[in-house]
């Protein structure tokens, strides 16, 4: 590739990898990329890089130097943090104040920006809703280098279009997320994990935090005061372990996200090929799965799409998809999506090819 | 063929209103600003809305969607003329018990939805004070809130899917019962877009189970500050109650005079707090709120004895705006939001502004969210008072923004706050919003001149702004 302009060369951490230190740096990189027609892969923790079918990038933008907590107001339940901050670090800071940003559990090296851009959510989403409901403000840099802010640092806001929400699951196609304000939630000190015989048993408690089923068992996650935990555990028939024991996402050569209407979840589990490992979120309709082979995926996708769902490839070995589309049938309104992207990233430099429909 | 003829042909004459008195009725929402409709239409379904959109685009006539017209920012006022599309005939409710959701026509009244869901032990969480009149379509357009959004979030968190008519008359179904629709979140963009991107004909909404137990309590305080401090302390204590609503003395007196609900009229402020969940939890939380209230000088703590008593307490809160009529013929209501930690100082400043302008101000608001609703009761026929009301309003919004707040929590921008957008967003921020609008509504027929101030779109990001267009022109 061509040599970098001197103001960008200082950001290089490896050949073809730049680590911006500010929104202005991100802007400089993207303006350069737009001018030269370079494909930029935005890299957070690298834990969700298996989505879509991106071509080989010309440049990698590492968010490793954008990790600061810009503002934390425990009494307001808001946090402003840069996109490169690790989810684990953020949650560790918050739990000191008995608060949580309700980001994915067991995040590994995931960053806040990566979680938002890929649309990943916490296991607690059945009770506290997903990541898109927790984003109050976003500052992003568009493909042509404009630094743009949307939303606000208050918990309730209808001031203009909901630009932050549009960033969730957009894989950076409209802009690189630089910093966000998140709506926090109190984390009660007492929590328990209760193993139950079947998902139906969870109906005994009102709106538990999560009901997870995997290849081994079904567990109900509750939290609250000690009295609440005791009462809910009793209703579930006992067998509680103190604390929350969240499963690691299954990992294999292929990773999957199966999304179906909640009423179809049990049917979806029954349709999984036997060698697939999974964690299913009851009440939500999400299954995170992994398999050594792709066999059975086409039938599963066909069924899921007929039921109003999706089977999305979240990870695959090089060349392993063999023509199997990572997203499946294109979503409705794809022309409108293209027009939105054209307004924000006209040279299509940020993470091209990550979105459905090859966008 | 004129667009009027085309509309009559597409919808039938019975669904097209053209009489001056009818046009007058539909030329204004609940704000103070009147527009002028050229025609009012009542489509029966998305196909008919699609026809209306095609006709409007072909004839370059604005389309303004309208539900019940309870909006407070002139979002549904046809200020640029054109076709007012009233969605009230699209009023089906299809409840899906297994998925705890419902496809709901845009014209369904908010309270009717919860009433239809209640026999199944379910409800729709957003509950604006106007819920006995406002429609789901309006709730979606303005991302409406209500007292119970404190714990459950605003309308956008409860919309799983939309049937929407977009540019070109294209009918699309976005989202659905399955989580995380793939691709860009057009549904999320359209919620809260105030009818400027398309016309929503149906929404797939989340229905939540009714809570197993509830404690509703009314705390009386000797000062507004002590009530506001209690609100901040409840949130910092690690609780998010179902609702935390504050009413000041003038508002309590106005409501009591009207309803005789037994409200404590001697208190400077009352706080209505509600906690929900399992019995063990709500008892503990109610106790904490009562203790914090007493520590801040609460003179009484009244816990609802039963559902009837609870309904009475809520009726006082939800009837607040109706009670204003006894004080003055008009009211002007603001909707700014501040961080909850800035509530006490913001309220002090708001009262100072009202006193300085010698205005009758009442306050009833979603304190837990930091969502203020300062309300000025006045007579709009007096131009001098009118001027003072608007100047004071601008000062109130300015102080909220200075304290880290936002222009609107749940009412929207419409025309009323459109030109204030420049005080909270940069040129590039507004340009980005204008690009969103252009991408989705290239012909610009959907509710023109709302939300974004004229000239929001920059030609490039070097800061060269398009020449300001004359007032009233839409492009």
């Amino acid at each position: 590739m061509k040599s970098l302009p001197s103001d960008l060369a200082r950001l290089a951490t490896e050949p073809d990898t730049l680590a911006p230190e500010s929104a202005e740096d991100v802007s400089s990189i993207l303006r350069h990329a737009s001018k030269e027609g370079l494909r930029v892969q935005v890299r957070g923790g690298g834990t969700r890089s298996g989505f879509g079918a991106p071509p080989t990038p010309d440049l990698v933008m590492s968010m490793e130097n954008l990790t600061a907590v810009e503002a934390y107001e425990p009494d307001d339940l808001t946090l402003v943090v840069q996109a490169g901050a690790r989810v684990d670090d953020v949650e560790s800071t918050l739990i000191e104040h008995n608060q949580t940003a309700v980001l994915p559990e067991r995040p590994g090296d995931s960053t806040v920006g990566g979680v938002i851009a890929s649309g990943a959510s916490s296991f607690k989403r059945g009770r506290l809703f997903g990541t898109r409901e927790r984003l109050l403000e976003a500052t992003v840099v568009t493909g042509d280098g404009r630094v743009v802010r949307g939303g606000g640092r208050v918990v309730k806001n209808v001031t203009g279009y909901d630009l932050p929400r549009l960033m969730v699951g957009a894989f950076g196609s409209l802009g690189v997320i630089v910093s966000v304000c998140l709506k926090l939630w109190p984390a009660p000190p007492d929590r328990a994990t209760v193993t139950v015989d079947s998902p139906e048993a969870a109906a005994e408690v009102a709106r538990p935090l999560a009901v997870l089923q995997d290849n081994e068992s079904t567990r109900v996650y509750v939290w609250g005061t000690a009295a609440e935990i005791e009462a809910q555990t009793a209703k579930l028939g006992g067998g509680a372990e103190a604390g929350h024991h969240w499963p690691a996402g299954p990992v294999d050569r292929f990773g999957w996200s199966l999304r179906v209407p909640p009423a179809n979840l049990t049917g979806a589990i029954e349709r999984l090929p036997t060698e697939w490992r999974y964690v299913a979120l009851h009440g939500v309709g999400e299954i995170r799965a992994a398999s050594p082979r792709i066999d059975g995926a086409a039938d599963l996708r066909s069924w899921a799409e007929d039921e109003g769902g999706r089977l999305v490839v979240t990870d695959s070995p090089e060349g392993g998809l063999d023509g199997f589309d990572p997203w499946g049938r294109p979503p409705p309104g794809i022309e409108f999506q293209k027009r939105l992207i054209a307004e924000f990233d006209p040279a299509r430099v940020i993470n091209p090819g990550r979105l459905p429909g090859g966008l | 063929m004129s667009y009027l003829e085309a509309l009559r042909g597409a919808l039938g004459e019975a669904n097209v209103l053209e009489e001056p008195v009818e046009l007058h009725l539909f030329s204004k929402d609940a704000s103070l600003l009147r527009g002028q409709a050229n025609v009012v239409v009542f489509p029966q379904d998305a196909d008919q809305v699609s026809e209306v959109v095609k006709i409007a685009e072909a004839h370059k006539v604005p389309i303004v969607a309208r539900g019940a017209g309870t909006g407070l920012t002139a979002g549904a006022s046809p200020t640029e003329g054109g076709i007012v599309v009233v969605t009230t005939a699209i009023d089906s409710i299809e409840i899906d018990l297994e998925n705890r959701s419902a496809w709901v026509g845009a014209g369904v009244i908010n309270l009717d939805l919860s009433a239809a869901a209640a026999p199944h032990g379910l409800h729709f969480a957003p509950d604006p004070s106007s819920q006995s009149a406002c429609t789901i379509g309006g709730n979606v357009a303005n991302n409406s809130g209500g007292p119970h959004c404190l714990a459950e979030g605003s309308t956008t968190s409860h919309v799983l899917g939309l049937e929407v008519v977009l540019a070109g008359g294209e009918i699309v179904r976005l989202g659905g019962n399955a989580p995380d629709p793939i691709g860009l979140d057009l549904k999320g963009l359209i919620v809260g877009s105030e009818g400027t991107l398309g016309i929503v004909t149906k929404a797939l909404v989340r229905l939540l189970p009714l809570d197993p137990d509830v404690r509703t309590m009314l705390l009386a305080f000797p000062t507004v500050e002590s009530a506001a401090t209690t609100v901040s302390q409840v949130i910092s204590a690690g609780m998010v109650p179902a609702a935390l609503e504050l009413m000041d003395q003038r508002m309590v007196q106005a409501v009591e005079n009207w309803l005789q609900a037994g409200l404590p009229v001697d208190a400077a402020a009352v706080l209505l707090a509600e906690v929900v969940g399992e019995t063990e939890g709500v008892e503990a939380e109610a106790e904490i709120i009562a203790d914090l209230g007493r520590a801040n000088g609460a003179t009484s703590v009244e816990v609802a004895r039963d559902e009837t008593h609870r309904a009475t307490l809520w009726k006082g809160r939800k009837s607040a705006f109706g009670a204003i009529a006894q004080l003055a013929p008009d009211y002007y209501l603001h909707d700014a939001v501040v961080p909850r930690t800035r509530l006490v100082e913001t309220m002090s400043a708001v009262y100072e502004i009202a006193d300085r302008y010698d205005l009758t101000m009442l306050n009833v608001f979603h304190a837990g969210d930091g969502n203020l609703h300062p309300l000025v009761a006045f007579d709009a026929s007096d131009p001098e008072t009118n001027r003072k009301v608007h100047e004071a309003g601008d000062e109130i919004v300015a102080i909220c923004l200075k304290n880290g707040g936002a222009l609107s929590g749940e009412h929207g921008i419409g025309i009323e706050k459109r030109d204030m957008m420049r005080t909270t967003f940069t040129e590039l921020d507004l340009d980005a919003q204008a690009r969103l609008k252009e991408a989705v509504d290239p012909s610009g027929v959907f509710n023109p001149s709302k939300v974004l101030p004229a000239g929001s779109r920059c030609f490039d990001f070097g800061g060269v702004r398009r020449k300001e267009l004359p007032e009233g022109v839409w492009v």
Side-chain angles (χ1 to χ4, degrees):
Chain A
M1 76 161 270
K2 290 185 203 167
S3 64
L4 290 164
S6 57
D7 62 322
L8 297 184
R10 72 185 165 85
L11 303 173
T13 53
E14 297 169 43
D16 302 341
T17 298
L18 302 177
E21 291 166 359
S22 65
E24 290 66 36
D25 287 347
V26 175
S27 172
S28 302
I29 294 168
L30 292 175
R31 270 185 280 139
H32 171 70
S34 284
K35 192 166 141 233
E36 302 291 332
L38 305 176
R39 293 180 295 249
V40 181
Q41 182 195 90
V42 187
R43 190 181 166 87
T47 56
R48 291 182 173 79
S49 53
F51 284 86
T56 308
D58 301 307
L59 266 183
V60 173
M61 188 192 297
S62 165
M63 304 302 280
E64 66 196 276
N65 289 330
L66 288 167
T67 60
V69 170
E70 294 180 346
Y72 177 26
E73 302 288 346
D75 291 350
D76 263 335
L77 290 168
T78 58
L79 172 80
V80 184
V81 66
Q82 291 184 327
R86 293 173 76 250
V87 168
D88 219 7
D89 295 343
V90 168
E91 293 284 15
S92 300
T93 305
L94 299 178
I95 203 66
E96 288 173 24
H97 296 264
N98 283 323
Q99 294 182 350
T100 170
V102 201
L103 294 169
E105 297 80 7
R106 307 194 61 163
D109 287 329
S110 297
T111 60
V112 171
V115 163
I116 293 168
S118 63
S121 285
S122 153
F123 283 127
K124 305 183 193 81
R125 63 183 303 179
R127 177 66 185 80
L128 299 175
F129 304 147
T131 297
R132 69 185 76 233
E133 313 306 335
R134 314 220 66 87
L135 188 58
L136 301 173
E137 180 189 70
T139 300
V140 305
V141 183
T142 63
D144 49 5
R146 291 169 283 132
V147 182
V148 167
R149 180 184 65 88
R153 297 179 183 185
V154 288
V155 295
K156 197 174 177 188
N157 193 352
V158 50
T159 306
Y161 299 126
D162 198 342
L163 187 80
R165 183 171 290 259
L166 205 43
M167 297 299 147
V168 181
F171 290 91
S173 55
L174 301 174
V176 174
I177 303 165
V178 174
S179 73
V180 292
C181 179
L182 298 170
K183 175 175 170 178
L184 308 178
W185 213 246
D190 283 298
R191 48 200 90 179
T193 307
V194 188
T195 301
V196 292
D197 294 335
S198 74
E200 290 72 38
E204 295 300 316
V205 295
R207 301 181 68 189
L209 268 187
V211 181
L212 302 187
Q213 179 178 356
D214 59 20
N215 300 69
E216 279 74 43
S217 65
T218 300
R219 297 172 305 279
V220 181
Y221 296 76
V222 293
W223 70 3
T225 61
E228 279 174 280
I229 298 287
E230 202 176 314
Q232 293 184 73
T233 303
K235 282 180 189 164
L236 291 167
E241 282 181 83
H244 282 161
H245 306 281
W246 302 108
V251 178
D252 209 324
R253 292 175 68 237
F254 292 89
W256 308 97
S257 172
L258 179 57
R259 305 159 185 184
V260 295
N264 293 100
L265 192 79
T266 299
I269 292 169
E270 286 164 2
R271 278 179 173 78
L272 295 178
T274 47
E275 63 187 9
W276 286 34
R277 310 287 300 165
Y278 68 90
V279 180
L281 286 72
H282 282 277
V284 175
E286 180 188 351
I287 299 178
R288 306 172 191 181
S291 67
R293 278 177 291 271
I294 196 168
D295 307 51
D299 286 348
L300 188 62
R301 169 176 285 169
S302 168
W303 170 80
E305 290 186 348
D306 285 348
E307 297 292 333
R310 295 288 184 178
L311 177 65
V312 177
V313 179
T314 59
D315 225 339
S316 59
E318 182 91 31
L321 291 180
D322 192 26
F324 188 74
D325 190 278
W327 293 100
R329 194 188 294 164
I334 191 101
E335 289 306 315
F336 290 92
Q337 303 201 15
K338 285 181 187 167
R339 297 214 289 258
L340 285 168
I341 292 171
E343 288 286 353
F344 280 73
D345 184 12
R348 199 64 196 99
V349 295
I350 313 168
N351 289 341
R354 282 300 190 95
L355 284 177
L359 302 184
Chain B
M1 188 162 61
S2 76
Y3 72 92
L4 294 172
E5 284 169 322
L7 288 170
R8 283 185 221 117
L11 274 64
E13 292 198 8
N15 294 319
V16 180
L17 305 184
E18 298 173 62
E19 292 298 322
V21 64
E22 294 164 336
L23 299 182
H24 189 77
L25 272 176
F26 287 94
S27 289
K28 183 178 170 299
D29 56 17
S31 72
L32 298 170
L33 200 70
R34 176 170 289 282
Q36 182 54 53
N38 296 108
V39 59
V40 180
V41 299
F42 289 76
Q44 308 295 304
D45 55 27
D47 289 336
Q48 290 197 348
V49 173
S50 169
E51 290 304 314
V52 174
V53 170
K54 286 176 194 163
I55 292 166
E57 287 187 335
H59 294 268
K60 301 197 188 311
V61 183
I63 322 169
V64 180
R66 176 189 173 102
T70 57
L72 290 162
T73 65
S77 289
T79 50
E80 310 294 314
I83 307 165
V84 172
V85 180
V86 185
T87 59
T88 50
I90 306 173
D91 62 354
S92 59
I93 300 176
E94 301 158 64
I95 293 178
D96 177 348
L97 289 178
E98 286 193 313
N99 286 309
R100 285 184 174 170
S101 65
W103 272 108
V104 185
V108 169
I109 291 171
N110 175 296
L111 200 56
D112 288 351
L113 171 58
S114 279
H120 306 291
L122 300 170
H123 75 292
F124 180 56
D127 60 340
S129 293
S130 58
Q131 72 181 140
S132 59
C134 66
T135 62
I136 296 299
N139 294 168
V140 170
N142 294 292
N143 188 17
S144 301
H148 288 92
C149 289
L150 174 55
E152 304 295 358
S154 297
T155 297
T156 190
S157 301
H158 301 275
V159 174
L160 303 171
L162 289 177
E163 178 188 82
V164 57
V165 182
L166 295 170
E170 187 179 340
I171 302 169
V172 290
R173 279 208 173 199
L174 304 170
N177 281 307
D180 304 324
I182 63 173
L184 297 182
D185 188 2
L186 285 179
K187 165 180 70 75
L189 174 63
I190 285 165
V191 179
S193 65
E194 306 190 31
T196 63
L197 302 179
I199 295 190
V200 170
T201 46
K202 281 186 182 178
L204 178 68
V205 299
R206 190 198 300 278
L207 298 175
L208 295 178
L210 296 170
D211 297 294
D213 206 350
V214 55
R215 291 288 179 282
T216 306
M217 52 210 293
L218 197 72
L219 298 92
F221 288 92
T223 63
V224 173
E225 288 70 24
S226 54
T229 303
T230 303
V231 169
S232 294
Q233 289 178 357
V234 168
I235 299 292
S236 347
M239 264 191 278
V240 182
L244 275 177
E245 299 286 306
L246 204 154
M247 280 197 275
D248 69 7
Q249 187 167 26
R250 282 177 189 156
M251 185 56 92
V252 170
Q253 287 174 346
V255 171
E256 184 60 20
N257 200 29
W258 189 38
L259 283 182
Q260 288 92 46
L263 296 172
V265 291
D266 297 332
V270 300
L271 181 64
L272 182 65
E274 185 162 279
V275 288
V276 298
E278 302 277 5
T279 304
E280 299 75 17
V282 298
E283 280 174 354
E285 292 193 343
E287 198 53 45
I288 294 170
I289 293 172
D291 288 347
L292 287 171
R294 289 192 194 97
N296 283 306
T299 50
S300 72
V301 177
E302 180 186 359
V303 181
R305 292 177 302 275
D306 51 32
E307 189 52 34
T308 313
H309 191 189
R310 172 178 178 247
T312 308
L313 296 181
W314 271 112
K315 193 173 181 202
R317 165 63 185 86
K318 293 208 172 182
S319 307
F321 301 125
I324 306 305
Q326 18 163 0
L327 299 177
D330 301 288
Y331 67 76
Y332 191 56
L333 177 63
H334 269 289
D335 173 43
V337 197
V338 292
R340 296 174 273 217
T341 44
R342 313 294 290 274
L343 203 53
V344 177
E345 62 184 291
T346 308
M347 286 308 297
S348 302
V350 165
Y351 282 112
E352 186 276 320
I353 292 166
D355 288 347
R356 185 150 41 77
Y357 282 91
D358 193 24
L359 293 169
T360 305
M361 174 180 288
L362 303 86
N363 278 283
V364 50
F365 62 99
H366 312 303
D369 287 317
N371 187 185
L372 307 183
H373 284 333
L375 181 154
V376 178
F378 72 112
D379 182 352
S381 64
D382 174 21
E384 173 61 13
T385 310
N386 239 328
R387 184 190 58 78
K388 285 200 311 191
V389 167
H390 284 91
E391 279 180 19
D394 288 352
E395 278 197 40
I396 288 169
V397 173
I399 199 81
C400 290
L401 293 180
K402 182 168 159 271
N403 286 342
L407 283 177
S408 174
E410 56 182 11
H411 295 175
I413 300 300
I415 295 270
E416 191 219 14
K417 287 184 172 164
R418 181 192 63 191
D419 296 335
M420 296 178 189
M421 290 283 276
R422 291 198 193 286
T423 61
T424 184
F425 288 119
T426 66
E427 284 197 2
L428 281 185
D429 298 342
L430 287 176
D431 173 69
Q433 300 212 15
R435 284 169 187 259
L436 293 176
K437 161 81 172 166
E438 276 187 19
V440 184
D441 176 23
S443 68
V445 293
F446 290 108
N447 214 2
S449 84
K450 307 294 169 65
V451 183
L452 297 175
S456 290
R457 183 75 161 83
C458 312
F459 262 131
D460 65 39
F461 61 91
V464 184
R465 202 192 300 163
R466 180 187 290 190
K467 192 162 164 277
E468 289 277 348
L469 293 161
E471 196 71 25
V473 166
W474 63 280
V475 287

